[in-house]
Amino acid sequence: MLGYILRRIGLMVPTLFGIMLITFTIVQFAPGGPVERVLAQMQGQGDGSLSRITGGAGDLGGGGRPAGGEANSRYRGAQGLSPDFIAKLEKQYGFDKPAPERFAKMLWDYVRFDFGRSYFRDVTVIQLIKERLPVSISLGLWMTLLSYAISIPLGIRKAVSDGARFDRWTSFVVIIGYSVPGFMFGLMLIILFSGGSFFQWFPLRGLTSEGWEGFSAWHKMTDYAWHMVLPLTALVIGAFATATLLTKNSFLDEIRKQYVLTARMKGLSQSRVLYGHVFRNAMLIVIAGFPGAFISAFFTGSLLIETIFSLDGLGELSFRAIVGRDYPVVFATLYIFSLMGLAVNLLSDLIYVWIDPRIDFSARAT
């Protein structure tokens, strides 16, 4: 098993390299990079933040425009700007170097977890990630644990009572949860319970109340739980349906197999058959979906929920960075999400072995 783990860790390196290379190549051909964004701001407004973005370049003339100069055809909106000024912008954002050199430097920095500074915020990328990481971890971890804690027992019960009244009624609830997006549940919960039109029982935004640092330990826990109720409810309702159906179908498939009939003929109780024989085999396919569920909850699944409930998480940070062409933030969050996804996949394999020791990954070839 140790050899298998080491091989998997070794395979993470080329996988991460491939993900970063493909993304970096696509970005090179994407229009509207950081230089174009600065030029668009200059042409459109020339506001006070421009001096910080451009590093206070001293060759700016009146109205936020360089004095004189020819148009630079490489960038849209560069008409009337001097080539020297464009070259200074390219050097500030690192675009004065060839793409292979920039990619190699980025990889070397990321190996050391040096993600640089945000293009358009006066802060390091690692600081931004540290500020947003607790929110995303809270949403992703609690949502995954709660959805599996609900869906596994519910799926087992539905499989045992397949076709009965309980199965039919719960299927109606599951179908609703599967069909309606989580952000729609979030909006509904805000309208009903967060001062939208009816009750104001829960806060509308954030994970903590003002002055949270001065609360007692118990008050901090209750305040945190109070803020988490609505976003977690919206996420869990939208996520448990798939896992419930997967659990039910997996158990139904196992219950109908010959070894289950043999166990029942030997006089074993229902619970002994379910949890002593069926559970280990049926749960393998459910656990296979755990990495995808966790990563989805950690990023894509929580993006709209973070926006609706004004939660500053990594999903919201990544989305704004992509829209704003803040490439250091984009690549850093991609690197972290990819690394987490690979680690969670390895963890799911280890859980396989824990549930069913008959599985021997160490016997697999690389």
Side-chain angles (χ1 to χ4, degrees), residues 144-156:
T144 306
L145 291 177
L146 287 174
S147 62
Y148 271 72
I150 295 172
S151 61
I152 291 176
L154 180 60
I156 295 173

Side-chain angles (χ1 to χ4, degrees), residues 44-360:
Q45 55 196 39
D47 59 12
S49 65
L50 181 62
S51 61
R52 177 177 63 80
I53 295 173
T54 60
D59 59 344
L60 285 174
R65 187 182 287 269
E70 296 295 327
N72 191 313
S73 59
R74 290 180 58 191
Y75 302 104
R76 285 189 243 173
Q79 291 78 9
L81 302 179
S82 69
D84 290 341
F85 177 75
I86 301 298
K88 286 185 177 181
L89 282 180
E90 290 178 333
K91 184 176 181 179
Q92 179 172 338
Y93 295 121
F95 290 100
D96 59 325
K97 299 180 178 64
E101 184 178 344
R102 286 186 280 123
F103 180 69
K105 182 181 183 304
M106 181 184 72
L107 289 183
W108 172 243
D109 290 340
Y110 281 16
V111 167
R112 298 175 291 132
F113 285 88
D114 178 8
F115 301 119
R117 299 183 70 85
S118 168
Y119 281 162
F120 305 111
R121 308 185 194 194
D122 192 19
V123 67
T124 62
V125 175
I126 197 68
Q127 172 104 23
L128 285 172
I129 293 174
K130 283 181 179 178
E131 291 174 355
R132 308 298 184 94
L133 193 59
V135 176
S136 294
I137 288 179
S138 294
L139 290 175
L141 185 61
W142 285 115
M143 189 280 277
T144 306
L145 291 177
L146 287 174
S147 62
Y148 271 72
I150 295 172
S151 61
I152 291 176
L154 180 60
I156 295 173
R157 176 71 187 278
K158 285 175 64 63
V160 172
S161 58
D162 183 40
R165 180 179 299 177
F166 175 83
D167 181 42
R168 293 196 300 269
W169 279 104
T170 53
S171 294
F172 175 74
V173 176
V174 169
I175 289 172
I176 293 177
Y178 183 80
S179 303
V180 182
F183 73 89
M184 290 297 297
F185 284 116
L187 292 174
M188 182 185 69
L189 292 173
I190 288 175
I191 293 172
L192 291 176
F193 303 115
S194 194
S197 298
F198 298 92
F199 308 102
Q200 193 166 4
W201 293 348
F202 299 97
L204 181 59
R205 57 176 54 88
L207 281 185
T208 56
S209 300
E210 187 176 352
W212 186 81
E213 293 80 5
F215 294 171
S216 65
W218 174 252
H219 193 182
K220 284 183 178 180
M221 292 174 57
T222 55
D223 182 76
Y224 169 78
W226 182 48
H227 282 76
M228 288 287 286
V229 168
L230 293 190
L232 269 182
T233 301
L235 283 170
V236 170
I237 290 176
F240 88 101
T242 302
T244 299
L245 293 175
L246 184 63
T247 303
K248 177 191 174 182
N249 292 333
S250 179
F251 268 79
L252 279 177
D253 184 57
E254 290 295 323
I255 288 172
R256 293 165 180 165
K257 289 184 177 178
Q258 183 63 42
Y259 75 91
V260 176
L261 298 177
T262 303
R264 285 175 174 167
M265 291 175 62
K266 289 181 177 179
L268 296 181
S269 65
Q270 178 79 337
S271 61
R272 179 72 182 277
V273 172
L274 281 177
Y275 299 104
H277 295 78
V278 176
F279 184 85
R280 184 174 61 183
N281 297 325
M283 285 303 298
L284 291 176
I285 192 172
V286 178
I287 293 173
F290 177 82
F294 178 77
I295 296 300
S296 176
F298 195 74
F299 178 52
T300 56
S302 62
L303 171 59
L304 292 174
I305 299 299
E306 289 177 6
T307 304
I308 291 171
F309 290 97
S310 301
L311 303 174
D312 294 330
L314 284 179
E316 191 264 351
L317 173 67
S318 302
F319 175 74
R320 292 190 182 278
I322 293 170
V323 173
R325 300 298 192 268
D326 198 347
Y327 291 154
V329 179
V330 172
F331 286 120
T333 51
L334 173 67
Y335 180 82
I336 290 174
F337 284 132
S338 301
L339 192 60
M340 287 183 57
L342 293 170
V344 171
N345 270 293
L346 176 58
L347 179 62
S348 71
D349 284 350
L350 299 179
I351 296 175
Y352 273 177
V353 177
W354 176 64
I355 290 180
D356 192 348
R358 296 173 300 174
I359 297 177
D360 185 12

